[in-house]
């Protein structure tokens, strides 16, 4: 087993060449690529984080806007409901008023009609009574005097009814 | 394993001399692995683009880098330290694992080439200065070559014969008088040595670099030098208090122990990796030599696992040592 210094030196130089070649031709470019890739990934992550933050911001803004809109719509709704209630009450009141006036009108008409009917019945009764009486007594009654008499009697009867 | 028999050598063997500098089979393998890693890095570099859908090669490169970054980051828990330690740790892991697995490729350890002869001027010098006792020690070293015929018997017999022959030779040099019987024995042993020389004149073309102690020592030295460098880088001169602490006699002694342990780490790194990978190589060679095709398969699987684990252990220990060196002594 021979340990020879020149051979050791040769192997040291040989290994140094290998190391140098690997460093300049392989390690350095590959590490450079790794660094570039890491940078790109970092940038991508940063951009993604920024996008997420922006999205969160937008989400927050959206929620705020939604909340505001909800509040506004609730207030609007309240207002509308109150207005509607008011309108309802006024409509009901108007309807009641109209109904009352209608009823009053109808009552008046009815009263008028009733009195007209009564007057007509009265007239017919008078005429019937006069005719009957003329036939019974055989005397032609003075229309004016007898009519008054009959009217009095009939009024008495009608009042009793 | 060669065409002539089993070939196991504990140390890497020269296959060529470049101006007196031996190029060993492990150095050749190491160069091939380096070429492969650099080629992969170049191809990956061209394929790498800034994209959200990386293609297969870029995916693979990213997977390796990301896994090792995670591995280093898991120990340090510090982005800055991870960035600084990562290139060394990742290179350790990749270099060791590919070297470990390279040894499992077909052809590695089986393609034989003639052993390179030393340049003539050096050879002649060594021939004249050869010490017989050194020769005896070399024979007793773990360089074993077994011819194909009857391998189990001849392994021990031939080595014993060779050692006996060399012992006789040594004795011969010291005691010039020889009997006729001894002369005959010497003649036989010379014959055996010649056969040995013939079969051991070949070596494997490729040998995993991590199965060579010189490589593992080199890696250990790099790891420990890097540890000291990172210690100074993060703690400046405060790092030295780890070794030179005069606050109390006990702390001074602890500092000395720390200093010694730094050197021990090199040995620990070197022998752990070398031992595991070389043992795996030997195991595979012996199993392949002794058995048929199917039997070595589970051992191959085991060696793949061992190769990965050893690379991981080396990288893990290195990153732990780096991390410990960068923590102030007070923090301990």
């Amino acid at each position: 087993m021979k340990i020879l210094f020149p051979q050791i030196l040769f192997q040291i130089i040989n290994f140094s060449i290998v190391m140098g070649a690997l460093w300049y031709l392989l390690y350095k470019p590959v590490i450079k690529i790794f660094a570039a890739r890491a940078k790109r990934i970092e940038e991508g992550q940063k951009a993604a984080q920024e996008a997420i933050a922006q999205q969160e911001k937008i989400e927050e803004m959206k929620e705020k806007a939604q909340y505001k809109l909800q509040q506004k719509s609730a207030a609007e709704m309240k207002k509308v409901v109150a207005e509607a209630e008011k309108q309802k009450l006024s409509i009901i009141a108007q309807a009641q008023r109209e109904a009352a006036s209608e009823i009053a009108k109808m009552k008046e008409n009815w009263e008028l009609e009733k009195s007209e009917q009564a007057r007509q019945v009265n007239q017919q009764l008078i005429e019937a009574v006069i005719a009957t009486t003329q036939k019974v007594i055989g005397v032609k009654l003075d229309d004016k005097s007898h009519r008054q008499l009959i009217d009095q009697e009939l009024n008495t009867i009608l009042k009793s009814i | 394993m060669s065409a002539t028999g089993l070939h196991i050598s504990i140390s890497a063997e020269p296959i060529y001399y470049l101006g007196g500098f031996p190029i060993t089979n492990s150095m050749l393998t190491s160069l091939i692995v380096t070429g492969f890693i650099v080629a992969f890095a170049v191809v990956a570099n061209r394929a790498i683009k800034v994209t959200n859908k990386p293609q297969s090669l870029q995916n693979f490169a990213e997977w390796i880098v990301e896994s090792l970054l995670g591995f280093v980051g898991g120990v340090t828990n510090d982005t800055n330290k991870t960035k600084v330690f990562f290139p060394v740790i990742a290179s350790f892991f990749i270099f060791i694992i590919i070297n470990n697995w390279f040894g499992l490729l077909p052809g590695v350890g089986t393609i034989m080439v003639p052993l390179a002869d030393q340049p003539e001027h050096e050879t002649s010098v060594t021939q004249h200065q050869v010490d017989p006792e050194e020769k005896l020690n070399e024979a007793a070293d773990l360089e074993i070559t077994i011819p194909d015929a009857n391998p189990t018997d001849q392994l021990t017999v031939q080595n014993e014969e060779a050692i006996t022959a060399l012992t006789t030779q040594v004795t011969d040099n010291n005691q010039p008088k020889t009997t006729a019987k001894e002369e005959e024995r010497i003649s036989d042993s010379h014959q055996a040595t010649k056969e040995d020389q013939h079969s051991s004149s070949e070596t494997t073309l490729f040998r995993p670099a991590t199965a060579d102690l010189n490589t593992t020592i080199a890696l250990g030295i790099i790891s420990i030098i890097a540890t000291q460098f990172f210690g100074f880088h993060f703690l400046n001169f405060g790092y030295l208090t780890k070794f030179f602490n005069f606050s109390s006699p006990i702390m001074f002694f602890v500092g000395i122990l720390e200093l010694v342990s730094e050197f021990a780490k090199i040995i620990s790194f070197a022998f752990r990796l070398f031992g595991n990978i070389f043992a795996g190589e030997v195991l595979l060679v012996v199993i392949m030599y002794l058995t048929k095709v199917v039997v070595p398969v589970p051992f191959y699987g085991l060696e793949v696992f061992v190769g990965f684990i050893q690379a991981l252990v080396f990288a893990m220990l290195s990153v732990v040592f780096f991390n410990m060196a960068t923590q102030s002594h007070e923090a301990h």
Side-chain angles (χ1 to χ4, degrees):
Chain A
M1 194 152 53
K2 293 163 196 164
I3 297 169
L4 300 167
F5 181 72
Q7 286 191 18
I8 292 172
L9 193 67
F10 169 84
Q11 294 295 0
I12 289 173
I13 293 165
N14 190 33
F15 180 76
S16 305
I17 291 166
V18 169
M19 200 169 78
L22 283 173
W23 170 243
Y24 281 104
L25 298 169
L26 189 71
Y27 305 152
K28 217 174 169 182
V30 172
I31 288 172
K32 219 173 177 179
I33 283 174
F34 286 165
R37 205 171 285 162
K39 200 180 168 188
R40 258 208 323 271
I41 290 167
E42 204 178 317
E43 279 172 0
Q45 278 179 333
K46 212 175 167 184
Q49 275 176 346
E50 274 175 15
I52 289 167
Q54 212 168 348
Q55 197 190 350
E56 277 173 5
K57 218 173 175 179
I58 289 165
E59 212 51 51
E60 205 176 313
M61 276 167 69
K62 196 175 107 183
E63 273 175 22
K64 264 185 188 173
Q66 264 182 344
Y67 179 71
K68 263 186 186 175
L69 275 173
Q70 274 176 350
Q71 274 193 331
K72 209 174 171 182
S73 66
E76 232 17 72
M77 188 66 86
K78 217 174 173 179
K79 222 171 167 182
V80 168
V81 167
E83 189 71 26
E85 198 66 31
K86 221 172 170 181
Q87 276 187 4
K88 186 180 99 180
L89 288 174
S90 75
I91 287 166
I92 288 169
Q94 200 181 343
Q96 277 175 344
R97 271 200 307 275
E98 279 176 9
S101 73
E102 201 68 28
I103 288 164
K105 223 182 229 176
M106 280 176 79
K107 261 186 181 174
E108 204 179 319
N109 285 342
W110 181 73
E111 280 298 325
L112 281 172
E113 215 168 298
K114 197 176 86 176
S115 59
E116 182 63 26
Q117 292 285 331
R119 196 189 58 77
Q120 280 179 6
V121 168
N122 200 10
Q123 190 62 39
Q124 281 172 1
L125 268 171
I126 290 167
E127 282 172 1
V129 167
I130 289 168
T132 310
T133 312
Q134 278 179 348
K135 272 190 179 172
V136 170
I137 61 175
V139 180
K140 210 173 176 183
L141 287 170
D142 179 36
D143 275 357
K144 212 171 180 181
S145 56
H146 285 93
R147 242 178 242 270
Q148 277 174 351
L149 184 70
I150 289 160
D151 278 343
Q152 274 175 355
E153 285 302 316
L154 280 171
N155 281 337
T156 318
I157 292 162
L158 283 169
K159 272 178 190 174
S160 68
I161 293 166
Chain B
M1 193 167 53
S2 70
T4 52
L6 187 72
H7 181 89
I8 299 166
S9 169
I10 199 162
S11 54
E13 290 162 310
I15 50 170
Y16 185 70
Y17 278 92
L18 193 73
F21 182 72
I23 306 293
T24 62
N25 42 14
S26 74
M27 283 162 79
L28 178 70
T29 311
S30 176
L31 278 173
I32 291 169
V33 168
T34 300
F36 172 75
I37 294 171
V38 172
F40 169 75
V42 169
V43 174
N45 182 268
R46 283 182 186 171
I48 288 169
K49 288 171 201 160
V50 182
T51 173
N52 285 334
K53 288 178 184 174
Q55 294 303 304
S56 54
L57 187 66
Q58 185 174 345
N59 248 334
F60 181 65
E62 281 186 17
W63 171 68
I64 291 173
V65 174
E66 198 173 6
S67 307
L68 290 169
L69 263 174
F71 168 71
V72 178
V75 177
T76 59
N77 286 322
D78 184 321
T79 321
N80 187 33
K81 281 183 188 175
T82 305
K83 261 185 189 175
V84 178
F85 298 164
F86 170 73
V88 185
I89 301 300
S91 303
F92 272 144
F93 183 79
I94 292 169
F95 185 73
I96 293 169
I97 200 167
I98 293 177
N99 265 305
N100 291 351
W101 285 349
F102 192 88
L104 304 175
L105 291 177
V108 179
T110 53
I111 299 171
M112 304 301 285
V113 288
L115 258 175
D117 291 325
Q118 262 189 318
E120 269 187 21
H121 63 278
E122 286 176 25
T123 318
S124 58
V125 171
T126 44
Q127 269 176 354
H128 285 296
Q129 289 176 346
V130 71
D131 178 15
E133 281 196 28
E134 198 181 301
K135 211 172 175 184
L136 180 65
N137 288 335
E138 273 180 23
D141 201 359
L142 276 172
E143 196 162 320
I144 306 158
T145 306
I146 310 163
D148 263 344
N150 204 0
T152 43
D153 295 340
Q154 285 192 9
L155 171 69
T156 47
V157 173
Q158 282 191 357
N159 277 296
E160 275 174 16
E161 275 179 359
I163 292 165
T164 319
L166 288 163
T167 315
T168 318
Q169 221 177 339
V170 173
T171 324
D172 225 21
N173 289 343
N174 296 337
Q175 297 170 347
K177 288 176 186 175
T178 51
T179 60
K181 203 178 177 183
E182 279 172 337
E183 272 178 7
E184 195 183 326
R185 223 164 105 194
I186 289 164
S187 157
D188 287 349
S189 64
H190 274 244
Q191 189 66 32
T193 316
K194 273 181 187 172
E195 278 174 17
D196 274 357
Q197 278 173 349
H198 175 71
S199 51
S200 66
S201 63
E202 282 189 328
T203 185
T204 53
L205 179 61
F206 302 113
R207 177 194 176 99
T210 42
D212 177 7
L213 192 62
N214 293 306
T215 312
T216 57
I217 287 175
L219 291 171
I221 288 171
I222 293 167
S223 178
I224 297 309
I225 288 174
T227 307
Q228 312 314 313
F229 172 78
F230 291 134
F232 277 108
H233 179 77
F234 282 93
L235 304 174
N236 297 322
F237 285 99
Y239 176 65
L240 288 174
T241 57
K242 184 181 170 186
F243 306 116
F244 307 107
N245 196 329
F246 301 103
S247 59
S248 70
I250 292 171
M251 292 310 288
F252 176 75
F253 185 68
V254 169
I256 300 292
L257 282 179
E258 288 277 358
L259 196 64
V260 172
S261 77
E262 290 300 308
F263 292 99
K265 277 175 195 170
I266 299 175
I267 298 164
S268 153
F269 267 133
F271 279 92
R272 183 187 304 107
L273 185 58
F274 167 72
N276 276 288
I277 303 306
F278 180 67
E281 289 290 311
V282 172
L283 175 74
L284 285 179
V285 168
V286 170
I287 292 289
M288 277 168 69
Y289 185 70
L290 294 175
T291 62
K292 299 292 173 194
V293 186
V294 185
V295 181
V297 174
F299 293 96
Y300 257 92
L302 181 76
E303 283 315 307
V304 169
F305 180 68
V306 169
F308 168 74
I309 288 294
Q310 284 311 311
L312 193 72
V313 165
F314 196 100
M316 175 66 88
L317 284 173
S318 294
V319 75
V320 168
F321 290 150
F322 292 176
N323 199 38
M324 279 167 67
T326 55
Q327 285 168 348
S328 66
H329 195 61
E330 286 74 28
H332 273 292

